[in-house]
Amino acid sequence: MKDDGFVIVGVRETPPPPAPRREPWYRGKPLFAGGVLGVIVLGCLLCGLFIPGDPSYMDLANASAAPGRAFLFGTDTMGRDIFSMIWYGGRVSLLIGVAGAAISTAVAVVLGAVSGCAPAWLDALLMRLTELFLSVPNLLLVVFLQAILGEASVLSISLVIGLTSWTSMAKVVRTEVRQLRSSEYVVAARSMGGGFFHILWRHLIPNFLSSIMFMVVMNVRSAIAAESTLSFMGIGLPLEVVTWGSMLSLSEKALLSGAWWIILVPGIFLVTTLLCLTSLGSYLRKAANRKERNL
Amino acid sequence: MDNEILLDVQHLTHFFPITKKIAVKAVDDLSFQLRRGEIFGLVGESGSGKSTVARCVMNLYRPQAGRILYKGIDTCDRRAFRKNRRMLQTTRQLIFQDSASSLNQRMRVCDIIAEPMRIQHITPPRGTHRAEAAFQMHYVGLDPSFLDRYPPELSGGQRQRVAIARALAMEPELLVADEPIASLDVSIQAQIVNLFKHLQQEHGFSFLFIAHDLAMVEFLCDRVGVMYHGRLLEVAPTEELFQHPLHPYTKSLLSAIPIPDPVRERARKLIPYEEEPGAPRGTLREVSPDHFVAE
Ligand SMILES: Nc1ncnc2c1ncn2[C@@H]1O[C@H](COP(=O)(O)OP(=O)(O)O)[C@@H](O)[C@H]1O
Ligand SMILES: [Mg+2]
């Protein structure tokens, strides 16, 4: 036997695996929709900076003027400048969208969480009531609530829209809370004396937020759409309150006089905003699903 | 250790209804006492009802029968509980088996440790919640650099230390730990048990330590109770129990402990335990001072 029977030869040299290519951060994100939406939102928020005049000023001499140098998007049948109305009206439309979604989210989270934490009988009762609410046509509810609240204002219409669109989100919240409430950190918080709202705020909401986020965005979208529909039908905001919806409600007269810009301009802004929100919402939904699978 | 009794569990019985007719008897007429400043170990195989006892003691389950007196207050009585709610919630603390699920993954370590103080609106003795959390972390041997981490970024042993810090932040008089080391590596188990021993000497709290690892119980506990199918079969001071086990089930459990000596380990024989069907349900009888056996 030779002395050098054992030679340490080491491990076979292997080339280091190529470093995984880092995905660019924007891969798969709705950049275009986000950008367009950003421009619209910024424009509405900052419109005071680049629009000097009063948007509701009626230049009756120039009623139904076609788009041109003086009036970028033309004027409506009452001689108001559509370019400034678009941005100022967008403010109100977006405000109603956000406020309506906020109200419906707040109602959905509280009712869903109460139902999810409650004993079986209360849970069943609340869910039956929710289903009952769901089965009443929304339009009927809106008209009914409008009648109770009286003269429509931005606040009242947000409230009406918010109060009629929380049901499906409440169901999702309830299902999530049912799963979360028996987890040990919730039990621990309860044994330390944490109350309902403490547990809701600190433990439940952070854990189910991602799964309702897309519904929040979709609620913004449907609140904007609802306001437009209502105003268009003449049961929403009065004509003096400029929104995209109330601008559209002039369409009947506009069509008769062949002033296409009166419908087309607010229509394009409305549809673009709704499409961007939809695209954002479905991205959030996919992201939430992906996270669920990875857990 | 004085002889004042802090926790007195009397004839505790708890079932879980499965259907209308069938129920699982998780804890069956169980009585034991915990003296102030004592470490009481509760051992038994999995499914013997140890966790149920812990949760009844912490008022997380309502037992069907029996009383639990804590400092002379019947905690199962709703009125007495409500009257002493704050004292009960601050002076009794629970540590769970699995720190991965007993800490909210979406809270930072400093918020987790400060949570009981926030819930009870206690002004932290060291100024801010953050400073208090840092102090408690130092106390349980965690580096303050973990303050802003989230639980999934920590190891199992570190997470369990966070859970211990959270419990100790309230200066409890009774600490209940439900298999706090069962989900940890063996070397980490020893560290945590050492930490418990050290903290108990320092704070002097009474400690209900639930485990199914007898070696750790022998090291840590002053007295041990052996549970089997929801009943206590034997209660004795640790040394007495390990030297002179009387109940056949205890003997069987002790025979399952590995011996760190290869010769004796090879000679070790498992003593099987079979409960004779229809054997009379024994009540505890004191055979020698402080040594109780079911007969
Ligand atoms: N929530 C529950 N619902 C129904 N049965 C349960 C529940 N919790 C525990 N049990 C049953 O009670 C018995 C005791 O359980 P447990 O107290 O968890 O035992 P251990 O902690 O000693 O393992 C077991 O038979 C278990 O199946
Ligand atoms: Mg258990």
Side-chain angles (χ1 to χ4, degrees):
Chain A
M1 228 200 206
K2 283 191 304 191
D3 271 352
D4 54 357
F6 289 103
V7 179
I8 297 175
V9 291
V11 288
R12 186 154 52 104
E13 195 96 352
T14 48
R21 279 271 294 285
R22 286 241 293 154
E23 292 261 300
W25 64 270
Y26 50 80
R27 172 68 48 85
K29 296 206 164 65
L31 276 198
F32 183 71
V36 171
L37 195 65
V39 168
I40 293 178
V41 170
L42 274 182
C44 290
L45 288 178
L46 305 176
C47 59
L49 297 179
F50 59 89
I51 297 170
D54 174 11
S56 56
Y57 174 69
M58 296 184 201
D59 187 355
L60 287 176
N62 282 315
S64 302
R69 182 148 305 162
F71 304 101
L72 207 53
F73 291 162
T75 60
D76 68 357
T77 49
M78 291 187 280
R80 294 180 294 185
D81 177 26
I82 292 187
F83 182 71
S84 28
M85 282 168 74
I86 279 292
W87 300 112
Y88 276 101
R91 260 189 194 182
V92 181
S93 282
L94 292 178
L95 175 68
I96 290 174
V98 172
I103 291 169
S104 61
T105 305
V107 174
V109 165
V110 171
L111 277 182
V114 168
S115 187
C117 293
W121 65 269
L122 186 58
D123 176 43
L125 184 72
L126 279 171
M127 280 300 115
R128 291 300 88 75
L129 284 180
T130 309
E131 273 150 28
L132 201 72
F133 206 82
L134 200 62
S135 63
V136 179
N138 252 355
L139 200 59
L140 202 68
L141 270 177
V142 169
V143 174
F144 182 66
L145 276 174
Q146 287 273 48
I148 296 177
L149 290 173
E151 177 72 29
S153 68
V154 172
L155 191 69
S156 79
I157 204 143
S158 309
L159 202 63
V160 167
I161 292 170
L163 289 182
T164 51
S165 56
W166 50 268
T167 40
S168 48
M169 201 196 287
K171 279 181 165 289
V172 173
V173 169
R174 173 194 168 264
T175 316
E176 293 279 324
V177 167
R178 286 257 126 183
Q179 286 174 8
L180 292 173
R181 71 166 188 176
S182 51
S183 50
E184 285 185 343
Y185 55 83
V186 174
V187 175
R190 252 194 314 153
S191 80
M192 289 184 259
F196 173 74
F197 283 100
H198 170 89
I199 288 173
L200 179 62
W201 187 249
R202 286 262 165 176
H203 296 288
L204 299 178
I205 290 182
N207 281 292
F208 68 62
L209 189 63
S210 62
S211 48
I212 61 163
M213 208 51 223
F214 82 93
M215 301 186 90
V216 174
V217 173
M218 290 302 186
N219 271 9
V220 174
R221 187 202 63 160
S222 37
I224 294 177
E227 181 272 323
S228 304
T229 316
L230 292 176
S231 300
F232 181 78
M233 292 191 302
I235 50 176
L237 290 168
L239 267 184
E240 309 87 74
V241 183
V242 178
T243 68
W244 292 339
S246 68
M247 288 168 79
L248 282 171
S249 64
L250 292 172
S251 58
E252 212 174 321
K253 285 181 210 159
L255 277 180
L256 290 176
S257 59
W260 49 266
W261 55 90
I262 296 180
I263 315 170
L264 211 58
V265 174
I268 285 174
F269 269 80
L270 181 65
V271 170
T272 309
T273 307
L274 297 186
L275 282 179
C276 290
L277 283 170
T278 311
S279 150
L280 225 60
S282 48
Y283 164 72
L284 286 174
R285 186 218 294 265
K286 276 196 215 109
N289 283 347
R290 211 169 30 242
K291 206 180 287 167
E292 213 119 285
R293 275 207 307 277
N294 282 352
L295 272 181
Chain B
M1 193 198 316
D2 49 31
N3 275 343
E4 185 195 340
I5 286 166
L6 184 73
L7 180 75
D8 190 358
V9 177
Q10 300 174 350
H11 307 288
L12 182 72
T13 303
H14 189 79
F15 339 99
F16 291 104
I18 303 294
T19 61
K20 281 230 168 66
K21 293 242 176 74
I22 311 166
V24 178
K25 228 174 198 183
V27 179
D28 185 6
D29 192 16
L30 178 121
S31 306
F32 68 94
Q33 291 170 337
L34 187 63
R35 300 183 191 124
R36 198 179 270 282
E38 176 186 48
I39 306 184
F40 185 80
L42 202 55
V43 296
E45 60 192 28
S46 146
S48 55
K50 306 182 297 291
S51 299
T52 311
V53 172
R55 285 174 175 239
C56 287
V57 167
M58 292 303 293
N59 278 95
L60 294 170
Y61 291 155
R62 270 186 72 80
Q64 271 82 12
R67 297 203 307 164
I68 298 175
L69 297 178
Y70 172 76
K71 293 193 191 177
I73 298 161
D74 184 359
T75 58
C76 300
D77 179 49
R78 284 217 169 93
R79 274 187 47 217
F81 178 81
R82 231 169 303 159
K83 232 167 70 192
N84 299 285
R85 164 176 289 158
R86 199 181 145 86
M87 185 276 284
L88 291 171
Q89 283 167 347
T90 51
T91 63
R92 301 177 306 169
Q93 295 291 323
L94 176 64
I95 294 172
F96 290 90
Q97 167 175 353
D98 185 8
S99 56
S101 57
S102 71
L103 306 179
N104 187 346
Q105 301 194 6
R106 286 169 206 273
M107 273 166 87
R108 283 174 306 162
V109 167
C110 58
D111 291 326
I112 291 174
I113 296 176
E115 187 182 8
M117 283 181 278
R118 289 222 171 88
I119 289 178
Q120 299 290 347
H121 306 290
I122 292 173
T123 356
R126 279 158 205 91
T128 61
H129 288 299
R130 202 183 158 78
E132 183 68 30
F135 174 83
Q136 295 295 347
M137 279 168 75
H138 173 73
Y139 214 78
V140 297
L142 274 178
D143 197 77
S145 65
F146 290 123
L147 269 173
D148 288 312
R149 302 269 195 97
Y150 289 86
E153 299 164 23
L154 306 183
S155 72
Q158 289 165 342
R159 275 199 302 262
Q160 202 56 281
R161 283 172 198 262
V162 171
I164 295 168
R166 170 172 71 179
L168 290 185
M170 299 306 288
E171 300 280 339
E173 290 173 53
L174 171 65
L175 190 65
V176 178
D178 185 3
E179 304 199 28
I181 54 172
S183 58
L184 303 174
D185 294 343
V186 177
S187 60
I188 311 290
Q189 285 188 354
Q191 286 178 15
I192 297 286
V193 167
N194 269 317
L195 176 68
F196 274 133
K197 191 156 187 119
H198 171 76
L199 291 172
Q200 198 277 336
Q201 278 161 6
E202 200 107 321
H203 280 256
F205 51 75
S206 313
F207 193 8
L208 177 58
F209 180 80
I210 294 172
H212 61 234
D213 183 340
L214 281 167
M216 295 296 175
V217 168
E218 183 177 14
F219 172 72
L220 183 67
C221 299
D222 302 320
R223 277 196 312 142
V224 181
V226 179
M227 256 185 102
Y228 182 74
H229 284 191
R231 283 184 285 134
L232 267 180
L233 298 186
E234 187 160 3
V235 182
T238 309
E239 207 165 311
E240 167 81 10
L241 187 91
F242 280 77
Q243 298 303 326
H244 312 288
L246 290 179
H247 198 279
Y249 179 65
T250 315
K251 287 180 185 157
S252 154
L253 268 186
L254 291 179
S255 76
I257 305 178
I259 305 166
D261 169 4
V263 179
R264 281 164 57 216
E265 168 67 15
R266 231 165 282 141
R268 179 168 68 94
K269 273 210 195 69
L270 283 178
I271 308 171
Y273 176 69
E274 283 292 335
E275 196 177 36
E276 307 131 50
R281 293 202 29 239
T283 46
L284 288 180
R285 197 171 64 80
E286 187 161 14
V287 279
S288 59
D290 228 12
H291 190 160
F292 298 82
V293 184
E295 302 202 318

